[in-house]
Amino acid sequence: MSEHITHTVQADDCRLLILGDDALSAQSVAAARERSDLMRAGAISMRGDHCNPALLAHLRQAREAGLWGDEERDILAFVLGWVTHRATDRQFKPVFRRYDPDCPRKPTDCSIHHDAFLLRERLALHYGPVGVDWPAGLDRERLQQLFTALTQGALVSLHTVRPDEADPLAWIRGRLLLHRRAYVDLERLVTAALEPDPDQVERFIVAPRFYDHDDPMLRACAAGEPVRLPQVDRAGPLDHDRCLYVRALIQAYRYVLAADAYLTGRIDSAALEQALEIGRPEIDFTRV
């Protein structure tokens, strides 16, 4: 699945921003604090453009009726992750088209290198079998085990456990199609993580300014603690002097803010769709 790790890290960072924001509703904070697993599942789910407004409308009605419970919290956690997926795609899909337009494989080499970079720079600090010096203490088999664990969430989110007994053939065909679309060549990820090609690193990471280790927001997120987002980042044009990852993160958090504003009745459905940029074209910020 294209950008699976990138979507996951973005959701993790958005969660830290939520936990550091005193202005958000108690419902959004609780969803992020208690169901990070569902935020991650939402972040790797596709095509939420029209689903998210409908789900938020349901949640708003439940909140106004005083019927908020665990199910509503869990749905909200999923939606908060789902809106980050859309924001990340809107920032990075144009990058793939510009920097890797003729790649015959999916995910593209650009996408693979983004995921491998974030695995090295972020997930390797916190998770599982990468709890060793990177990369000297890590062999290919152990790294492939980690990638397998990270992609299992994507496959589980696509899989219907209970088959359609009335039409099992159609059911299995649908499941197989979803799995084919979500297929990731783990060997490509392992190679990009352990043996990155210098030319491709220059082309896909350095040239588009994918990540900036010195950005204060990313330093705070990498520490794994709740982060306060400066007020200046809440509205207005994105700062094009900042790296692509930060722009995507800020846009993702703006979507989270819009979802929370609609949930609590501060904006209407038209304003929500405008804030989520539904139906609006993507912008290639590498050209700005």
Side-chain angles (χ1 to χ4, degrees):
M1 177 177 288
S2 177
E3 296 285 280
H4 170 66
I5 293 175
T6 301
H7 284 300
T8 298
V9 178
Q10 284 264 319
D12 286 352
D13 288 347
C14 268
R15 177 176 177 272
L16 295 176
L17 295 174
I18 291 171
L19 296 180
D21 193 341
D22 295 334
L24 283 175
S25 68
Q27 288 81 13
S28 290
V29 174
R33 183 180 61 247
E34 298 167 17
R35 295 313 308 264
S36 60
D37 57 332
L38 291 176
M39 271 198 71
R40 283 182 155 204
I44 59 172
S45 298
M46 301 174 287
R47 299 180 180 177
D49 302 29
H50 301 291
C51 298
N52 286 324
L55 291 172
L56 286 167
H58 166 78
L59 293 174
R60 177 168 166 167
Q61 291 173 359
R63 184 177 183 273
E64 291 173 349
L67 300 175
W68 197 268
D70 289 348
E71 179 179 88
E72 287 72 27
R73 177 205 59 191
D74 292 353
I75 294 172
L76 179 57
F78 194 94
V79 168
L80 292 177
W82 211 351
V83 297
T84 72
H85 179 106
R86 173 168 170 75
T88 306
D89 270 1
R90 285 179 58 80
Q91 294 289 324
F92 289 116
K93 295 302 185 186
V95 176
F96 303 158
R97 291 194 288 269
R98 181 179 181 191
Y99 286 87
D100 204 9
D102 301 318
C103 185
R105 299 179 291 187
K106 292 185 179 181
T108 66
D109 291 331
C110 185
S111 173
I112 288 287
H113 276 74
H114 287 180
D115 272 2
F117 178 89
L118 288 173
L119 182 280
R120 293 194 306 271
E121 301 298 326
R122 297 293 299 279
L123 293 185
L125 300 176
H126 304 291
Y127 291 98
V130 193
V132 292
D133 291 339
W134 180 275
L138 185 66
D139 61 30
R140 300 181 71 89
E141 181 179 355
R142 294 179 73 191
L143 182 57
Q144 184 149 336
Q145 290 172 357
L146 174 63
F147 278 128
T148 299
L150 290 171
T151 54
Q152 279 175 344
L155 298 178
V156 168
S157 71
L158 293 169
H159 182 63
T160 302
V161 176
R162 184 180 179 88
D164 181 355
E165 296 178 4
D167 193 354
L169 181 58
W171 173 82
I172 193 63
R173 283 173 173 167
R175 301 289 73 72
L176 292 174
L177 177 60
L178 288 173
H179 278 269
R180 284 195 296 272
R181 288 175 176 173
Y183 173 76
V184 175
D185 184 345
L186 294 181
E187 182 61 27
R188 290 175 65 207
L189 281 168
V190 170
T191 298
L194 286 183
E195 303 165 3
D197 182 290
D199 292 337
Q200 292 198 339
V201 170
E202 174 66 30
R203 180 181 173 189
F204 301 136
I205 303 298
V206 178
R209 294 193 301 131
F210 174 69
Y211 197 91
D212 179 4
H213 292 91
D214 293 326
D215 190 287
M217 186 184 300
L218 294 187
R219 288 202 304 268
C221 288
E225 299 295 332
V227 178
R228 290 193 178 277
L229 186 66
Q231 192 71 26
V232 68
D233 288 325
R234 296 175 183 272
L238 293 172
D239 184 351
H240 301 301
D241 290 332
R242 302 181 82 170
C243 67
L244 285 169
Y245 183 90
V246 166
R247 295 181 205 172
L249 178 57
I250 292 171
Q251 191 61 60
Y253 195 63
R254 289 178 177 178
Y255 286 4
V256 167
L257 293 174
D260 186 76
Y262 178 78
L263 174 70
T264 55
R266 289 175 284 135
I267 62 174
D268 61 16
S269 58
L272 174 66
E273 292 202 8
Q274 182 177 7
L276 295 181
E277 300 181 300
I278 293 175
R280 294 174 59 183
E282 300 162 345
I283 299 175
D284 184 351
F285 285 101
T286 62
R287 297 183 180 275
V288 177

